[in-house]
Amino acid sequence: MRFISFVLLAYLCAFYATADTRVSHAIALHGEPKYPSSFKHFDYVNPAAPKGGSVRLMATGTFDTLNPYTLKGLSPYESPGIYMYGATELNEPLMVGSSSFAPSGDEAQTAYGLIAESVEYPPDRSWAIFTLREIARFHDGSPITADDVVFSFYTLTEQGHPNYAQKYLDVEKVEKLDPRRVKFSFKGKDMRGMPLRAAELPIMSKAFWTAREFANGLIEPALGSGPYRIKNFEWGRHVTFERVADYWGKDLPVNVGRYNFDEVRFDFYRDLIVAFEAFKAGDYDVYIDYTSRNWATAYDFPALDVGHVIKEEMPHQEATGYQAFFFNTRRPLFEDIRVRQALGLLFNYEWLNKALFFDAYQRNNTYFPNTELAASDKPDAAELAILEPFRAQLPEALLTTPFVSPVNKDSAQVRSNRRAATRLLREAGWVVRDTLLVNSKTGEQFKFEILVDEHRAARVISPLQQDLKRAGIQLDIRVVDPTQYQNRLDSFDYDLTMLVLPMSLSPGHDLKQYFHSSSRDVVGVRNYSGVSHPVIDNLIEQVIAARDRDQLVATARALDRVLMWQYYTIPQWHNDHHRVAYWNKFGRPGVTPPYAFNFRDWWVDSDRLHALTNNDKQE
């Protein structure tokens, strides 16, 4: 009887510390976590996946530091897309699922315990207490303690990349309660998402960093605690991660069936043409193809014909990110919304998609492509209720009409859009003289520069350059190396740039970094267009404060409309599948999750690897 009472008490304590406080293994932004405290593994993994083998992968650009948390230098993690493979130099967070460290594959925004075994919070989520696992260890065997959590928070927000200060702006304080318990106290009125943001904090070793200058570049691997650690590297050329055989968290439900390769090596390439040829030659194992022409025309090689290379389109429901040409409205040239709208009218996306992309893409008419957050139709009643208080500050058409990017399918549409652009530019003070567009008062030509870090981008930019030239506008292309490109992005030193803004299925405080007035002039923060608009500020706060999924969706759609109708960008394109080619040496789970490319759940299949090896020997 006493045993039964003890079990019942333990069960109740797994969820509720008091009538007003919840203690749980997981926390969802809205609703309940999908997986209960008794879950053994995620549905989309193979719990019996074998460990072993090695994999070689491709990264683009370069790296010159092993500290991914500061403005100084580029670390391997900052190579585009590298986070999808699951082996990085990032430190483990308190909980996983809501960040890029290990994103959830089948939930929009839920975090499950990793370093923290539980999270305690009140109904208003004004604070959160994380209890650390007693078994949690850094790679040198030292325990992960509350001191490390407190140190990590204050180091990242005071000395780290400005994104951390912005992300944790509403954290009032972080304090150690005992060696394994740490409390985050939040401020402000919109705290629903703050426990999840706190759960995403990467936990660094206080002992390791106390002996080093955090803000400087790091020339040695930092002390981590995750499934992989850096084995060796050569600056700008390659980095190899090895699986930690005695990894403390290998049997946790969030890790079962994952991180199966003994060794993961990334080779860095500056040129994608060279990189693809290296893949065809078998120099590395997986190629995620972001180039539609390449996908359509470049896969005629023997290894594919005989099945040694698999070419596959993998559908997904991920937030694809918003890809566009971003105007820097800090520049006087782009302060006027009529100028931005006019340049968008002149861009012939339809020709580009057909001639260069084989009609592979869908046009972005939203900042949230491939998600239910996209404002793809005219506003419904819920959105109108949100937007109505701001009617006087918004264009009337926004309240009645869905945003649609200009269409230039035929010559009639091209001429019509060009006339509309000319009219807008004239209203903004620009006129055509001797085939050049000039300022009507100063006579200065309308010209500007686009900043990119990849020579192949010229293939995409050249058509825009020609579209603008026909209107008398001079667009110059400035190609710089990746380090200089990042430095100029961080300091907003560009007129126009082309990039992808990562988006979430459940956006929140990240929107403040992208679009809020408070981030407009913060060096290193990703408000690339210099957005500063009172309605947008208000809507961002409403998104963060949303009490349930329906309210979040309606408010995000309202925000989406206002952003699109401000013409901060020239929208580009997206697709709803990953284009992946890989050497046929892998096993994969039988379930493909909708919200993540789950390469961290693959493994080396010994039979397939043996077949490939034998074929190489025969050749």
Side-chain angles (χ1 to χ4, degrees), residues 55 71 133 150 200 311 357 407 459 480 515 517:
V55 60
L71 269 175
R133 296 184 193 273
V150 174
E200 295 169 1
K311 180 189 180 194
F357 301 152
V407 176
R459 172 172 162 264
V480 297
F515 310 123
S517 299

Side-chain angles (χ1 to χ4, degrees), residues 381-398:
E383 293 170 68
L384 286 174
I386 295 167
L387 292 167
E388 184 61 35
F390 311 109
R391 177 182 288 272
Q393 298 167 271
L394 300 172
E396 184 63 30
L398 181 151

Side-chain angles (χ1 to χ4, degrees), residues 240-306:
T240 299
F241 296 87
E242 62 179 356
R243 187 167 60 86
V244 179
D246 60 350
Y247 169 46
W248 68 271
K250 61 184 175 65
D251 296 323
L252 295 180
V254 295
N255 289 328
V256 168
R258 321 190 87 176
Y259 309 112
N260 301 310
F261 307 115
D262 281 348
E263 192 170 279
V264 181
R265 171 176 168 136
F266 291 95
D267 292 316
F268 283 72
Y269 292 83
R270 301 290 187 98
D271 188 294
L272 288 179
I273 296 176
V274 174
F276 183 65
E277 292 302 316
F279 169 74
K280 290 162 59 177
D283 291 344
Y284 60 92
D285 299 314
V286 181
Y287 187 74
I288 301 178
D289 204 326
Y290 296 102
T291 307
S292 56
R293 176 183 289 273
N294 201 68
W295 187 253
T297 65
Y299 284 80
D300 183 17
F301 56 96
L304 185 72
D305 296 337
V306 298

